[in-house]
Structures are given as structure tokens and as C-alpha cells.
């Protein structure tokens, strides 16, 4: 059953005030991440975030109309959606490392605990799942796809290769290690996965193409 939504306040006076932005916005989003670690997605509330960030609920609702909006933007902050999104190093290896290691991997326990919470919740909440896919996962995959498209044009990937499959290799491997084996993928580990798995898979498509 889809979790009930908390409706935003509707007083017109509150709506006329300036929206939260800049450093204050980042503080609230950072507090949202801390609440995800402590409470999980299902138990996270606007009350908890407002108390932790020392902000009013009305301030939060003016900027983020629902919990889905608030949590997705917090995840975007954590994942650095814009960081090294479209690298142009001249090689597939260089581009993959620039994208994957922009934030130093997933060596911190906090992102892993957050991912575990939101992935579990997304399986029960269709609206949250749709928001994660359209506003977080798909933009990440689209940015990664540009790297593989460029590599294919340079001849590093075969012309008939399944690029969608190749794009998913590195995130699937790194998340598998993080979530199932407990081996947090540091920047060095991500480089190893690129060198030992992703690049050989891409080279194979050239040899067989």
C-alpha cells in the first residue's frame, strides 16, 4: 500500500514569502540525508527535518511540496548529479573514472545506509519509485550513455554493442559490492572495476564486431 502523503499548508500568506535557497537550502537537504540515515524513508517526516535543520515546516513546504520532492533533491545533492557529468578526457577509461570517482566512490557508510532505505521504500511506493527513476537514475544513466556513445565513435566499443548493458555494468557492480558484500567501493576499487571488467567487456565488442 502506498504510504499516505502529508499535505502542504495552504495559507496564502506563507506562499508569498521568499523561497529558501543557497546555503540554507543545502543545510536543509543535508539534514534530510541525516534523517534518512537515522529514521529511514518511511519514518522521515517534515517535522523531523524541520527540527533538525531549525527551520519551520512552512519553509520546507514552500520549497518542497512533498516528502518525495525533498528526499529526491537531497539524494541529488548527495550524488552530485552535475559533478563531472560530461567529461571529455579523450578515452573511455578517463571518462569513466572522471564520472565514477567525482565524489570518491561510496566509501562512506552513510550513502550505503541511505541507498538501502530508499531502494527498499521505492519498491512499495510507486510515486517515489517514479521520481527516483525520472529525476535521479535516468539523468545519471543518460550522462553515462554519452561517454559510451563517444567511445563507440572512437572505435573503443564495437558498432553493434549493447550500450545500455555496458552503461549499467559499473553501477551494478559497485552497488552489488556495497550492498551485498559490504566491500565499500573506494575510488581505487572503482578504477579496478573499470580496468578489469568494464574495459575488457567493451574491448570484446570490438573483437567480435
Amino acid at each position: 500500500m502506498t504510504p499516505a502523503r502529508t499535505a502542504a499548508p495552504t495559507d496564502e500568506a506563507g506562499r508569498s514569502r521568499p523561497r529558501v535557497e543557497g546555503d540554507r537550502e543545502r543545510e536543509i537537504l543535508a539534514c534530510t540525508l541525516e534523517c534518512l540515515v537515522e529514521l529511514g524513508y518511511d519514518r522521515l517526516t517534515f517535522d523531523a527535518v524541520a527540527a533538525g535543520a531549525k527551520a519551520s515546516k512552512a519553509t520546507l513546504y514552500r520549497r518542497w511540496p512533498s516528502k518525495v520532492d525533498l528526499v529526491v533533491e537531497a539524494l541529488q545533492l548527495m550524488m552530485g548529479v552535475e559533478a563531472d557529468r560530461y567529461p571529455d578526457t579523450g578515452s573511455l577509461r578517463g571518462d569513466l573514472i572522471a564520472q565514477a570517482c567525482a565524489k570518491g566512490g561510496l566509501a562512506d557508510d552513510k550513502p550505503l545506509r541511505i541507498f538501502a532505505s530508499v531502494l527498499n521504500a521505492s519498491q512499495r511506493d510507486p510515486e517515489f519509485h517514479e521520481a527516483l527513476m525520472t529525476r535521479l537514475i535516468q539523468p545519471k544513466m543518460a550522462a553515462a550513455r554519452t561517454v559510451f556513445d563517444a567511445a563507440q565513435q572512437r572505435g573503443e566499443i564495437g558498432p553493434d554493442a549493447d550500450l545500455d548493458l555496458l552503461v549499467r555494468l559499473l553501477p551494478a557492480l559497485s552497488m552489488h559490492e556495497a550492498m551485498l558484500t559490504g566491500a565499500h567501493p573506494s575510488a581505487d576499487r572503482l578504477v579496478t572495476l573499470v580496468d578489469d571488467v568494464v574495459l575488457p567487456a567493451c574491448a570484446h565488442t570490438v573483437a567480435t564486431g
Side-chain angles (χ1 to χ4, degrees):
M1 183 173 64
T2 302
R5 303 260 175 248
T6 303
T10 58
D11 64 283
E12 296 301 325
R15 289 184 182 182
S16 65
R17 299 172 190 167
R19 287 172 174 256
V20 61
E21 59 184 11
D23 290 341
R24 187 57 178 144
E25 178 183 69
R26 286 187 289 274
E27 288 173 0
I28 293 171
L29 293 175
C31 181
T32 301
L33 294 174
E34 294 296 336
C35 288
L36 280 171
V37 172
E38 181 180 352
L39 304 172
Y41 178 82
D42 292 332
R43 294 172 55 206
L44 183 145
T45 63
F46 272 74
D47 286 311
V49 175
K54 296 181 172 57
S56 69
K57 283 199 298 182
T59 296
L60 269 61
Y61 277 123
R62 283 195 300 273
R63 177 63 181 82
W64 300 281
S66 72
K67 183 167 79 169
V68 168
D69 296 314
L70 176 62
V71 170
V72 169
E73 284 204 27
L75 293 172
Q76 289 174 333
L77 174 68
M78 182 182 74
M79 294 178 67
V81 169
E82 300 300 329
D84 291 302
R85 194 171 186 181
Y86 300 108
D88 186 16
T89 67
S91 73
L92 176 59
R93 182 181 190 273
D95 288 350
L96 288 175
I97 291 172
Q99 278 189 334
C101 299
K103 293 294 182 181
L106 298 172
D108 184 5
D109 278 337
K110 182 166 72 174
L112 300 181
R113 295 174 64 184
I114 290 172
F115 284 140
S117 172
V118 299
L119 290 175
N120 188 32
S122 73
Q123 301 305 307
R124 301 188 305 274
D125 186 334
E127 181 184 349
F128 185 41
H129 179 267
E130 178 67 15
L132 284 177
M133 292 301 299
T134 59
R135 294 161 56 183
L136 195 69
I137 305 302
Q138 290 176 2
K140 278 285 192 183
M141 293 296 100
R145 175 63 186 252
T146 65
V147 164
F148 284 84
D149 285 335
Q152 190 174 53
Q153 293 172 11
R154 290 191 300 264
E156 294 180 89
I157 298 175
D160 299 323
D162 184 346
L163 294 187
D164 290 332
L165 174 62
L166 294 174
V167 165
R168 292 193 293 267
L169 276 179
L170 184 59
L173 288 168
S174 57
M175 286 300 295
H176 177 277
E177 289 200 350
M179 303 297 291
L180 299 182
T181 72
H184 304 165
S186 64
D188 288 342
R189 180 58 177 166
L190 289 171
V191 171
T192 298
L193 292 175
V194 168
D195 287 339
D196 292 354
V197 181
V198 181
L199 294 182
C202 292
H204 178 71
T205 68
V206 176
T208 59

